Amino acid sequence: MPRRALTVLAAVTLAAPALPAGAAAAPGGTTLTWTVQPATAQGPDGRRWIERTLDPGQQVTEHLAVRNLGDRPVTFALKAADGYLTEKGRFTMLSSDRASTGGGTWIDVRDTVRVGANATAVVPFTIRVPEDAAPGDHPAGIAAVVASAGAAVTVESRVGFRVMLRATGTARAVLDVGDVTVERLPSWNPFAGAAIRIRHTVANTGNVWSSGVARSSVAGPLGAGRREATAEIGELLPGGGTATTTVIGGVWPLGPMRAEVAVTPEPRGEHAGAQIRAAARTATVWIVPWPQLLLALAAGLVGGGWLTARRRSRRRLARLLAAAREQGRAES
């Protein structure tokens, strides 16, 4: 039976705050180290990533620079693929075993480049926007790759940067809110307001790269005891989503509580004229004031016991007085 090869992505660095750099093991126990960054035909130009707004059907040429920091020549594979955000919000690109369907297919770059020891090679690549490209953002990445094969595993080490491609047309920044749940956090202090935890999801249903702000509030009937808090929504690419949790303190439970989450998107990149649509969703939950009810019950029991004891004391005193009067009449 033929042995199946497993491709593992060992290292991906795309548009990090510092210059993207990678390292990979090479035969003989040496280590390969290299960087990749946007460039002009003359060399690196200081950009962290490439961001281009293009018309459908338009074609442009860009450049990347691969710098080999090692002491021997290396042949790097060059690959482009669709870009996306990981669960932790880091930008990366599809692995080699996954087919691109978006911006990654717009990039045409040669397969390999050989870079001498302690040298830099500048490589041109072409961006071709399809005639039928939908308006909005089509994120991609481009990287220089070193692959090392083991017994049954091929390890890919990639270093690259993001290529934020944008097709002209109507830009829409839309973040939708879904799955709002509300719960009271455990607390038995009757003299303090409750802490309310609101969970919800946010999905980028527009066509542009956006971040935003989520404003959560909770209030009782007729808006009584309203409290609110805000949370930052990290960057979301079109079609992406995230889950957010907000805790609001000092809420007095008043029975039926109405929670609302409103999200306002903030377009990222060159989207000054984007249409912005805010979204909101509400949820109602009954929050019974158990600590306060238990305190009231305890106070009622204590008060009832005191009243009962006082009545008994009065009746006993009345009996004693009546007995004393009877005794006085008998002696007279």
Side-chain angles (χ1 to χ4, degrees):
M1 176 182 288
R3 182 171 53 196
R4 296 181 62 187
L6 175 64
T7 299
V8 177
L9 183 61
V12 178
T13 306
L14 295 179
L19 182 64
T30 61
T31 300
L32 307 178
T33 307
W34 69 102
T35 67
V36 182
Q37 61 191 120
T40 65
Q42 288 71 43
D45 58 10
R47 288 178 293 175
R48 291 175 56 201
W49 62 66
I50 290 175
E51 187 171 352
R52 296 295 299 261
T53 300
L54 306 169
D55 296 326
Q58 187 176 354
Q59 175 178 316
V60 296
T61 298
E62 279 284 359
H63 297 79
L64 62 87
V66 182
R67 183 183 179 191
N68 177 10
L69 301 176
D71 56 4
R72 67 181 182 85
V74 180
T75 298
F76 297 95
L78 299 177
K79 297 184 179 182
D82 291 351
Y84 67 98
L85 293 172
T86 67
E87 292 182 356
K88 295 184 178 181
R90 297 192 64 180
F91 190 95
T92 187
M93 54 188 274
L94 295 180
S95 55
S96 299
D97 59 346
R98 298 173 62 187
S100 294
T101 59
T105 65
W106 300 5
I107 298 174
D108 185 15
V109 64
R110 73 196 207 198
D111 293 335
T112 62
V113 60
R114 186 168 180 79
V115 186
N118 294 305
T120 301
V122 174
V123 180
F125 62 92
T126 303
I127 301 171
R128 296 184 179 90
V129 183
E131 294 283 355
D132 60 350
D137 289 335
H138 301 264
I142 190 166
V145 182
V146 172
S148 57
V153 177
T154 297
V155 178
E156 277 192 354
S157 299
R158 307 188 302 185
V159 179
F161 54 84
R162 68 173 78 183
V163 184
M164 298 300 294
L165 301 176
R166 186 169 301 116
T168 56
T170 301
R172 295 178 294 104
V174 184
L175 297 181
D176 281 331
V177 184
D179 300 331
V180 177
T181 61
V182 185
E183 62 178 328
R184 174 180 177 165
L185 298 180
S187 174
W188 292 101
N189 184 353
F191 303 105
I196 304 300
R197 179 162 54 203
I198 301 176
R199 290 190 175 101
H200 61 91
T201 58
V202 178
N204 185 344
T205 57
N207 60 6
V208 298
W209 174 34
S210 300
S211 56
V213 177
R215 293 177 173 82
S216 302
S217 64
V218 62
L222 302 178
R226 177 183 174 89
R227 302 281 291 180
E228 60 183 36
T230 61
E232 296 292 329
I233 304 298
E235 62 177 307
L236 292 175
L237 298 174
T242 188
T244 300
T245 299
T246 303
V247 176
I248 303 177
V251 178
W252 290 100
L254 300 173
M257 308 292 290
R258 181 176 183 269
E260 180 181 58
V261 178
V263 175
T264 302
E266 298 175 355
R268 305 286 294 266
E270 301 171 359
H271 286 305
Q275 297 178 358
I276 297 176
R277 192 190 79 189
R281 179 165 291 199
T282 61
T284 301
V285 61
W286 276 80
I287 302 180
V288 180
W290 291 116
Q292 289 77 15
L293 290 177
L294 291 175
L295 178 63
L297 177 61
L301 292 175
V302 171
W306 179 78
L307 289 175
T308 300
R310 186 176 180 184
R311 292 192 190 100
R312 289 176 180 173
S313 178
R314 286 180 176 177
R315 287 196 294 267
R316 182 170 177 275
L317 179 60
R319 287 196 300 269
L320 291 174
L321 291 175
R325 286 194 292 268
E326 288 295 330
Q327 184 177 357
R329 284 195 293 267
E331 290 176 353
S332 63

